[in-house]
Amino acid sequence: ALVWAAKGPQHLNVVTDAMAALGGGVVFVPRGTWITGPLVLKTRISFRGEGPNSVLKLKNGSNTHFFTLENGETEQTGFTDICLDGNKSNQSSGNVVHYDNASYTNNRGLPSIGDPAHYMDRTLILNGKAHGIYTIGTWSAAHFRSVQVWGCDSNSFRIESPDNVFSDCISSNTGLDG
């Protein structure tokens, strides 16, 4: 798998574009706080850090979702050992992670696995102006393991898609329901 180590946040969308063209890969985020604009998740692209001290933080005034899918057919995106900070005090709107697979058709050829199948593993999500994680769609099969969502103004987990798996997840200090 192709791995790219973040050296600066300004080119993350360019890097994910290049990785997607090669069939996918892992963006490695070293320890530190990396301030960046909204990022587009592409099929088979994942972000991996070194734990909660590897922070991707939404820049001031972005006023939109921090992470969104490229389109409704995007699948197999992931986050592991990382912190995603939506920087809510400097935003007017937006979820931290917004998975919208409402138009997913489940008719892709291999290497598709038949569902979007996004995942999060040992991920900390902070300070969403709206929801921490929002999923919508008629297909999903997302896996969330050891995910903590803290300090969002709306729901920590807003789940409007079927067949998701949650294990050892925590919701705390949210404006609405966990």
Side-chain angles (χ1 to χ4, degrees), residues 25-131:
V26 177
V27 178
F28 176 72
V29 180
R31 291 175 190 217
T33 299
W34 305 89
I35 298 172
T36 183
L39 295 168
V40 176
L41 298 170
K42 298 182 183 268
T43 294
R44 288 183 291 289
I45 302 294
S46 63
F47 290 81
R48 179 172 294 138
E50 296 182 279
N53 292 321
S54 295
V55 180
L56 289 175
K57 184 174 183 177
L58 186 60
K59 74 178 182 176
N60 293 350
S62 295
N63 304 321
T64 189
H65 308 306
F66 191 179
F67 289 90
T68 57
L69 300 178
E70 179 180 29
N71 59 52
E73 294 292 316
T74 303
E75 57 187 15
Q76 302 174 39
T77 68
F79 298 95
T80 304
D81 294 322
I82 198 163
C83 174
L84 310 176
D85 185 342
N87 189 16
K88 74 177 178 181
S89 61
N90 294 296
Q91 309 300 332
S92 63
S93 63
N95 303 320
V96 179
V97 178
H98 186 86
Y99 291 130
D100 184 351
N101 281 114
S103 63
Y104 192 78
T105 58
N106 196 21
N107 65 358
R108 295 176 65 173
L110 294 176
S112 174
I113 59 173
D115 283 309
H118 307 292
Y119 70 90
M120 288 186 188
D121 197 13
R122 297 177 309 277
T123 300
L124 174 61
I125 295 177
L126 305 172
N127 305 320
K129 187 63 179 174
H131 308 297

